[in-house]
Amino acid sequence: MRGVGWAAVGGFVLVVAEIVVFVLVAHAVGWAWAVLLGLATMFIGAMLVKREGMRAWRRFRDAVNQGRPAGGEVSDGLTGLLGALLLIVPGFITATAGLLLLIPPVRALAGRQVRGVAERRISPAAAGDLFGPRVVRADRTPDAGSADGGIVEGEVVEGEVIDPR
């Protein structure tokens, strides 16, 4: 229930901020231009929702047909779809966030964040099926600072997870 309360407060703050920004833009360029700009971003967002949705679906289908893990395509598609949906929401703050999510470097960064959240919330087996196997760099050199020379009993391997992208 706590998360819902914070979401409501965040939504209220966003609405107030959007009104303030709209008034500032309207004061700077005129009310008619501000309304026209808001309607234009909503129209562009509506067109992009269809394009991004079809593109994401096509890339997902291609990955599945080729037997590749489709998680990367899903996270990229969700990021593009979110950007388009943010353009549809009335307001200049959400439109700016939506436009940023459509810029390839920002979209790639956001897609990696979506992937990271998904990997933390689902089981490692499901994450492997969705995103493919993780690449790990193992370090098998003995640790000179330890008393036993770094030898460890069992199946322990020190290393770091490397994102192949």
Side-chain angles (χ1 to χ4, degrees), residues 115-140:
R115 176 182 174 165
V117 168
E119 285 180 335
R120 285 190 298 276
R121 294 191 181 263
I122 60 178
S123 72
D129 289 342
L130 187 59
F131 297 107
R134 293 184 176 147
V135 178
V136 177
R137 180 183 305 149
D139 181 16
R140 294 189 179 263

Side-chain angles (χ1 to χ4, degrees), residues 39 44 63 69 83 138 153 163:
L39 291 173
I44 291 169
E153 296 291 328
D163 190 357

Side-chain angles (χ1 to χ4, degrees), residues 9-135:
V9 169
F12 178 74
V13 169
L14 179 62
V15 167
V16 170
E18 288 284 13
I19 291 170
V20 168
V21 170
F22 181 81
V23 170
L24 291 173
V25 170
H27 184 67
V29 299
W31 289 94
W33 285 110
V35 169
L36 188 62
L37 185 59
L39 291 173
T41 59
M42 292 170 64
F43 178 74
I44 291 169
M47 288 184 354
L48 286 175
V49 163
K50 181 178 180 183
R51 187 191 87 174
E52 291 295 326
M54 293 302 293
R55 181 176 161 207
W57 177 251
R58 222 175 302 119
R59 290 181 63 203
F60 170 75
R61 216 179 44 218
D62 289 345
V64 170
N65 288 340
Q66 294 172 6
R68 293 183 291 118
E73 282 77 9
V74 170
S75 61
D76 183 63
L78 285 175
T79 305
L81 207 51
L82 177 62
L85 287 171
L86 285 172
L87 282 171
I88 292 176
V89 174
F92 293 118
I93 296 172
T94 53
T96 302
L99 285 173
L100 284 174
L101 285 176
L102 295 175
I103 297 172
V106 177
R107 184 176 183 156
L109 177 66
R112 284 192 298 273
Q113 297 299 319
V114 168
R115 176 182 174 165
V117 168
E119 285 180 335
R120 285 190 298 276
R121 294 191 181 263
I122 60 178
S123 72
D129 289 342
L130 187 59
F131 297 107
R134 293 184 176 147
V135 178

